[in-house]
Amino acid sequence: MSTILLETKQRGRRVYLELQRLAKEPWLALSILAIFTLLALFIVLPLVKVFQMSLASGESSVAGGSVAMYKEVFQSWYMRKALVNSLVTGVLSALLAVLVGFIMAYTVTRVNVPFKKFFNLVSIVPVISPPFVSALSILLLFGNNGFVTYNLLGIRNFPIYGLRGLLIAQTITFFPVAYLSMKGVLEAINPALEDAAFDLGASRWRVFGKITLPLAAPGIASALLVIFIESLADFGNPLVLAGSNYPTLAVQAYLEITGMYNLAGGAALAVILLIPSVSAFILQKYWVSKKSYVTVSGKPTRSTVKSVSGAMQWILFAFCVVVSIVVLVFYGIIFVGAFSRAWGFDYSFTLRNFSYVWDVGYKTIVDTVTVALVSTPISGILGMFIAFLVVRRNFIGKGLMEFTSMLSFALPGTVVGIGYILAFNTKPLLLTGTLTILVANFVFRYVPVGIQNGIAALHQIDPGIEEAATDLGASSQTVFRRITLPLISPAFFSGLVFAFVRAMTAISAAIFLVSADWNLMTVQILAQVSSGRLGAAAAFSLILVGIILVAIFIIRILVDRLLGVKFETRF
Amino acid sequence: MGVVLKNLRKEFESPDENRRKVVAVDDVSLKIKEGELVTLLGPSGCGKTTALRMISGFEIPTAGKIFFGDLDVTNLPPDRRDSAMVFQNYAIFPHLTVQDNVGFGLTVRKLSKPEIAQRVDAILDLVGLAGLGKRMPDQLSGGQQQRVALARAIVNEPRVLLFDEPLSNLDAKLREQMRSEIRRIQQHLGITAVYVTHDQAEAMAISDRVVIMNEGRIEQEGTPMEIYNRPTSAFVADFIGKVNFIDAEVVKCVGNAVDLEMWGQVITVEHTEPLNQGTKVQVVLRPEAVHLGGEPSYATGVISSVVYLGSMVEYTVLVQGTSIQAEVSSPIEHGIYNEGDQVSVYFSPKVPHLLVK
Ligand SMILES: Nc1ncnc2c1ncn2[C@@H]1O[C@H](COP(=O)(O)OP(=O)(O)O)[C@@H](O)[C@H]1O
Ligand SMILES: [Mg+2]
């Protein structure tokens, strides 16, 4: 009994000392407080609102304590089907994308084949384009007037809508995620381990099965879960490709709200969507990532032992070539589509699509770029700062801050979108239809990636370097600005790029938040696709990708200038 | 400015699952005088770094107090303390030039540019890096990086200088050179210094006073000579240099002369404190104090191993069933015994130190 008392007393004293110390750094204390407020406001509050609304009783759309809405949802076979479809698509997409990503990553890291740089580049392309561009490509290739189906094969109504088309689109969209993480994992496996196994007389298959694969297993599991989450949350591809015969949760939630004005029903669907997503997230973060054998540090040293036989080498190479061709065709077709007069009938060159886009979309383009320009620096700096706090500072609620800020990664955009319109539609938080709500959405939805990059980068940097700066009299903010940020500038750069790309390309939450005053290009592209103007959609997409490429270039220069770090001389 | 540690204690929660408490520093009290260089010496994990980090402000003590002069700094953050630390792996800012590294503390204090430049130059001169100010850290050798770390710490003119194993990344030759350099600069500036190391030779060479730590506690403090010749525990004797422990029993004690029953006979040695008859003691005998093959002789032993080290020979000698280590310097002059040779064993009555069991 008395020991417990003593423990509590000691803990109390520790908390008191921490507080005392924070009080000596008011700037730090204030920013921690500010971040908590923002996280509560823009991540927790919308989530709470969605839960509340989903418990609204029946018709009235008044928040209450009834599960009527869930009953209704589960009684409808169509909604049950949506749930099953979402889960099935998520699982299959994850498996396919990881399979493709793993094979490519294995080939690039372990097999002696030409064009490795090229394969690498191809895998980056889908990362910087709107997530449903592959859906658009599928329509251009296999749709009613599809180039392959209609022009080449003469089939008019090829059944591309539904699971099949959706899987192709999602695999192409998400395999780069798997590729990049699998590449990291495979590079980090100490080649000496594989060499040692060869040395002990193991065959190639044995080395692969007993050494490489088990060592990569946690990484594979983690990639599977991440893509499962992304697939569940995917909105653009299913909206374009699934059709009414293949309902999915994210799309149904959207239609329920915008089509039927059934906020409670939409919210209930959102909550149902949330459950597998958050479960996968927690599994990934607290179980799989703890099992990893691979330390992220260490330079990749390439072993000279051949990991595969000659025949296998060429099979793998052929696989990579095919994947690359598919990716290039998928994105090339957008290019062709943007400059073609009438898809399926008249492929002559025209700039008509662009002038049309310019006429209807000029303001949207300006809006989109504005939103992206405002949210990018906020997201980038916030991400690095939260990473800095989490890794380098001790304060009460640190774990909570990390969890909450990372949580939004697991929240499907649909859930966030619904949450935002519920949370910010009355005074004093009347934000609907403003720039602020769009910026807040993008900042808090995509900051987890920055945080994660920042945390990983910080773990590579000797904390002594920052301590030395503190020791020399620098306050927390000086240390962060003059030492930490320049040292993690690669993570900062990629955080900024990611923030910008997502602000330009994301749709699932934003579609709930756009207004006449502030519209976004992705929403417009989707509208063009829905009304069958594929050429205009393609032109729009092309402009979007162009803006992104220019922005990446500018961000790179700015980061180097501002932090005084030369890009080439990264340590 | 002197530094006083009062009953310092630091507990950590162990990072593994069970969250056991680890006591890293346990009731450490120490007075360091102005201008003195004190080393904290002990095996890895004994709490040296933790003690140093509490002095510098990177860890808050679980209990106890720290004073710089009369000022209680226990809860003052590192940037408010008048101390500067030289880190084990230098912790040089890799993205800044040598002069920006050294001048960092001055820019933080918002000194004017010319003044910073002038002070940085002076310090670079002092540490022997004149002319290298424009280099990036990765263009420096290990020893030069070490000098940058030192320059960066002293340019702020701190009142207390802290070192955490500053030389452990250097090769043996450079280590010896740098340690006398550090000592020279510390004395030149007259700055109070706490120096952490696990290398006993380094501690002996550099310190005014050595503090031996073990499992978070202070085992013994004293001048290098006291520590080496009059260790108060077997741990200290064993940690500082090589040592033989020989069991013995007090037969008689008159004044400074103690008659010991050891090696099957009575041997008289000097000891300052009175001991009761029948007290069991350990005789602490350094290998270099053991004389072989001369007169007089206490016992006869058999050489059981010979290690030739150039400047000396290390012998293991079996005496009355126990082995003892002996070192004989200038082997050419004294000749070398072979395994199996019979030799007489002797030591001067002045040298052994007695530990009561
Ligand atoms: N931040 C920490 N968290 C938990 N345990 C720690 C921490 N820092 C040090 N320790 C533990 O405290 C003890 C003393 O460590 P340290 O002061 O680094 O020893 P030394 O510098 O003498 O090698 C060790 O057992 C170490 O594992
Ligand atoms: Mg240490």
Side-chain angles (χ1 to χ4, degrees):
Chain A
M1 188 61 214
S2 69
T3 54
I4 295 174
L5 216 73
L6 201 70
E7 291 260 311
T8 337
K9 213 170 146 188
Q10 280 182 350
R11 172 151 307 166
R13 191 181 135 73
R14 246 199 333 265
V15 170
Y16 169 74
L17 285 178
E18 296 282 353
L19 283 178
Q20 204 179 30
R21 205 158 241 226
L22 273 182
K24 293 210 174 84
E25 287 209 85
W27 181 87
L28 188 66
L30 272 181
S31 37
I32 290 173
L33 215 63
I35 289 174
F36 268 121
T37 313
L38 290 173
L39 293 178
L41 205 57
F42 291 109
I43 295 179
V44 179
L45 178 68
L47 203 54
V48 171
K49 288 285 181 185
V50 173
F51 273 106
Q52 264 182 3
M53 182 49 84
S54 74
L55 296 174
S57 47
E59 316 282 286
S60 61
S61 274
V62 176
S66 116
V67 291
M69 216 58 243
Y70 290 97
K71 264 199 195 131
E72 205 172 293
V73 166
F74 280 109
Q75 268 160 10
S76 147
W77 70 269
Y78 195 66
M79 295 304 174
R80 282 203 306 272
K81 197 169 156 194
L83 173 61
V84 173
N85 285 348
S86 279
L87 294 176
V88 167
T89 314
V91 171
L92 292 179
S93 273
L95 288 173
L96 276 174
V98 169
L99 187 69
V100 174
F102 182 84
I103 295 177
M104 282 196 75
Y106 186 81
T107 312
V108 167
T109 55
R110 291 288 189 280
V111 186
N112 186 18
V113 294
F115 306 136
K116 285 185 179 182
K117 280 233 169 77
F118 173 71
F119 296 147
N120 218 9
L121 197 69
V122 163
S123 313
I124 311 291
V125 176
V127 178
I128 57 158
S129 43
F132 54 88
V133 160
S134 40
L136 175 57
S137 310
I138 286 183
L139 290 189
L140 290 172
L141 288 166
F142 307 109
N144 282 344
N145 302 328
F147 180 73
V148 174
T149 44
Y150 180 58
N151 293 115
L152 295 183
L153 304 173
I155 309 169
R156 194 63 228 236
N157 283 318
F158 183 75
I160 191 64
Y161 292 92
L163 179 61
R164 189 179 339 182
L166 190 53
L167 277 185
I168 300 175
Q170 288 199 340
T171 306
I172 290 189
T173 311
F174 298 132
F175 92 87
V177 177
Y179 168 78
L180 289 176
S181 78
M182 293 326 314
K183 185 161 166 269
V185 168
L186 287 172
E187 273 173 352
I189 293 176
N190 187 348
L193 295 175
E194 287 163 357
D195 289 355
F198 280 122
D199 199 42
L200 296 170
S203 69
R204 285 165 172 149
W205 279 110
R206 245 191 125 70
V207 171
F208 179 77
K210 295 271 172 192
I211 309 288
T212 316
L213 208 53
L215 285 178
I220 294 175
S222 166
L224 281 172
L225 289 168
V226 166
I227 295 175
F228 175 72
I229 293 171
E230 297 233 18
S231 165
L232 274 186
D234 189 16
F235 175 78
N237 286 316
L239 188 67
V240 174
L241 281 177
S244 53
N245 285 331
Y246 196 77
T248 57
L249 282 178
V251 173
Q252 287 316 309
Y254 169 72
L255 295 178
E256 203 64 29
I257 287 177
T258 53
M260 326 279 262
Y261 301 103
N262 180 1
L263 271 174
L269 284 170
V271 172
I272 296 170
L273 176 61
L274 195 62
I275 292 164
S277 189
V278 170
S279 314
F281 168 73
I282 289 174
L283 207 60
Q284 194 268 338
K285 184 157 170 36
Y286 293 96
W287 187 61
V288 175
S289 60
K290 295 255 149 53
K291 287 215 165 323
S292 175
Y293 311 107
V294 177
T295 45
V296 202
S297 65
K299 293 196 182 74
T301 20
R302 208 149 291 154
S303 163
T304 45
V305 180
K306 288 217 176 85
S307 306
V308 299
S309 66
M312 199 58 189
Q313 182 177 343
W314 295 114
I315 293 173
L316 291 173
F317 178 66
F319 180 85
C320 291
V321 170
V322 169
V323 171
S324 304
I325 290 176
V326 169
V327 169
L328 289 185
V329 166
F330 264 64
Y331 289 91
I333 208 79
I334 301 284
F335 202 82
V336 179
F339 293 102
S340 296
R341 192 165 288 271
W343 194 257
F345 303 100
D346 179 1
Y347 289 106
S348 57
F349 179 85
T350 177
L351 288 176
R352 207 177 59 176
N353 291 322
F354 286 92
S355 62
Y356 170 79
V357 164
W358 198 252
D359 289 342
V360 302
Y362 174 73
K363 187 184 167 304
T364 308
I365 295 176
V366 174
D367 286 355
T368 310
V369 172
T370 310
V371 170
L373 284 181
V374 175
S375 52
T376 299
I378 301 177
S379 180
I381 291 173
L382 190 66
M384 293 308 114
F385 190 64
I386 292 179
F388 170 73
L389 290 178
V390 165
V391 179
R392 296 288 202 245
R393 288 288 178 269
N394 250 321
F395 53 92
I396 311 142
K398 188 167 100 164
L400 187 69
M401 179 186 283
E402 190 190 357
F403 180 80
T404 317
S405 55
M406 298 299 277
L407 177 68
S408 59
F409 173 79
L411 305 181
T414 311
V415 179
V416 177
I418 296 173
Y420 271 45
I421 49 173
L422 293 174
F424 304 118
N425 62 1
T426 46
K427 280 185 177 161
L429 293 171
L430 184 55
L431 297 175
T432 34
T434 62
L435 174 64
T436 315
I437 198 169
L438 283 166
V439 168
N441 163 55
F442 285 127
V443 166
F444 289 95
R445 263 177 75 51
Y446 298 115
V447 82
V449 173
I451 296 175
Q452 212 155 28
N453 287 345
I455 287 178
L458 280 172
H459 279 308
Q460 311 259 327
I461 290 167
D462 176 10
I465 293 178
E466 287 154 270
E467 285 181 349
T470 311
D471 198 45
L472 294 169
S475 60
S476 272
Q477 75 264 38
T478 312
V479 174
F480 179 70
R481 192 172 52 80
R482 304 257 320 260
I483 305 295
T484 315
L485 209 49
L487 286 179
I488 59 174
S489 65
F492 182 45
F493 170 75
S494 62
L496 287 174
V497 167
F498 185 81
F500 190 87
V501 169
R502 284 305 168 105
M504 294 290 297
T505 61
I507 184 159
S508 51
I511 200 163
F512 291 95
L513 306 177
V514 292
S515 60
D517 289 339
W518 292 97
N519 205 347
L520 294 178
M521 286 170 81
T522 40
V523 177
Q524 287 252 315
I525 297 173
L526 204 62
Q528 301 296 341
V529 175
S530 311
S531 55
R533 276 192 285 271
L534 299 187
F540 238 137
S541 304
L542 218 54
I543 294 174
L544 187 70
V545 172
I547 295 174
I548 290 174
L549 290 177
V550 171
I552 291 176
F553 183 71
I554 295 174
I555 291 173
R556 185 171 165 157
I557 293 174
L558 279 181
V559 167
D560 290 356
R561 278 277 163 77
L562 289 180
L563 299 179
V565 187
K566 284 203 201 74
F567 207 84
E568 292 75 21
T569 58
R570 290 270 154 75
F571 5 85
Chain B
M1 184 168 64
V3 175
V4 177
L5 312 184
K6 258 202 185 138
N7 305 98
L8 270 195
R9 180 183 177 83
K10 178 71 190 179
E11 293 166 7
F12 287 112
E13 223 159 62
S14 72
D16 51 19
E17 239 76 312
N18 56 28
R19 309 207 148 245
R20 266 177 318 112
K21 248 192 246 156
V22 179
V23 182
V25 169
D26 190 2
D27 198 26
V28 163
S29 297
L30 189 64
K31 279 199 174 83
I32 301 161
K33 292 195 282 285
E34 165 125 38
E36 194 180 24
L37 193 156
V38 169
T39 12
L40 304 183
L41 174 64
S44 171
C46 73
K48 309 174 298 278
T49 298
T50 306
L52 200 69
R53 287 172 62 82
M54 287 193 284
I55 301 176
S56 62
F58 289 116
E59 305 285 356
I60 314 175
T62 312
K65 290 211 171 305
I66 301 169
F67 295 89
F68 282 8
D70 296 329
L71 183 67
D72 179 354
V73 297
T74 315
N75 286 313
L76 224 51
D79 50 323
R80 310 275 178 84
R81 295 189 186 196
D82 217 353
S83 65
M85 178 125 140
V86 177
F87 290 79
Q88 178 163 14
N89 25 23
Y90 317 144
I92 292 176
F93 310 132
H95 61 301
L96 300 181
T97 59
V98 168
Q99 63 190 24
D100 289 347
N101 259 282
V102 175
F104 184 87
L106 301 175
T107 27
V108 166
R109 283 174 200 190
K110 305 225 158 57
L111 266 61
S112 72
K113 279 220 167 106
E115 186 176 358
I116 293 175
Q118 182 225 327
R119 281 175 65 174
V120 167
D121 277 349
I123 291 291
L124 287 179
D125 228 22
L126 180 68
V127 300
L129 285 178
L132 298 184
K134 294 263 185 313
R135 292 243 184 124
M136 290 305 281
D138 56 4
Q139 298 170 309
L140 299 178
S141 70
Q144 287 171 329
Q145 293 189 7
Q146 176 63 67
R147 286 164 201 266
V148 174
L150 180 61
R152 188 178 64 181
I154 58 181
V155 76
N156 280 357
E157 295 175 356
R159 310 280 297 273
V160 179
L161 198 50
L162 307 170
F163 297 88
D164 188 5
E165 312 218 7
L167 306 180
S168 58
N169 292 340
L170 301 179
D171 59 55
K173 257 232 162 77
L174 205 51
R175 202 149 58 213
E176 282 181 22
Q177 188 192 335
M178 277 307 296
R179 81 185 179 209
S180 43
E181 230 16 41
I182 288 178
R183 180 61 165 161
R184 173 181 66 82
I185 291 168
Q186 181 259 338
Q187 286 184 324
H188 171 83
L189 299 173
I191 204 170
T192 311
V194 184
Y195 189 105
V196 161
T197 179
H198 67 268
D199 178 339
Q200 43 113 354
E202 195 171 302
M204 306 278 285
I206 207 172
S207 326
D208 294 308
R209 215 141 46 93
V210 179
V211 174
I212 309 269
M213 288 183 67
N214 182 26
E215 292 181 349
R217 296 177 152 273
I218 294 185
E219 281 276 339
Q220 187 177 356
E221 51 173 293
T223 63
M225 228 150 94
E226 285 166 358
I227 297 275
Y228 189 78
N229 295 319
R230 296 286 173 254
T232 53
S233 66
F235 174 85
V236 174
D238 195 29
F239 190 75
I240 298 277
K242 291 183 189 146
V243 71
N244 295 300
F245 293 113
I246 303 156
D247 290 331
E249 198 179 313
V250 177
V251 180
K252 200 172 77 189
C253 179
V254 183
N256 277 352
V258 181
D259 287 355
L260 294 175
E261 151 110 52
M262 71 184 273
W263 286 338
Q265 55 187 292
V266 175
I267 296 173
T268 308
V269 302
E270 288 179 15
H271 190 67
T272 44
E273 285 151 48
L275 289 169
N276 291 331
Q277 185 180 354
T279 312
K280 301 242 192 268
V281 294
Q282 276 185 314
V283 179
V284 177
L285 191 61
R286 300 285 178 191
E288 71 272 13
V290 178
H291 296 287
L292 298 181
E295 279 296 318
S297 158
Y298 288 141
T300 308
V302 180
I303 305 274
S304 66
S305 93
V306 182
V307 179
Y308 178 72
L309 291 173
S311 67
M312 62 177 176
V313 184
E314 275 180 11
Y315 295 106
T316 308
V317 189
L318 217 58
V319 184
Q320 303 274 326
T322 55
S323 20
I324 61 165
Q325 307 284 325
E327 286 175 3
V328 178
S329 56
S330 303
I332 305 275
E333 186 185 338
H334 293 102
I336 297 176
Y337 297 106
N338 293 317
E339 240 170 80
D341 286 356
Q342 299 238 340
V343 290
S344 64
V345 179
Y346 177 74
F347 51 83
S348 149
K350 275 193 295 210
V351 293
H353 174 66
L354 303 186
L355 291 175
V356 177
K357 268 198 180 170

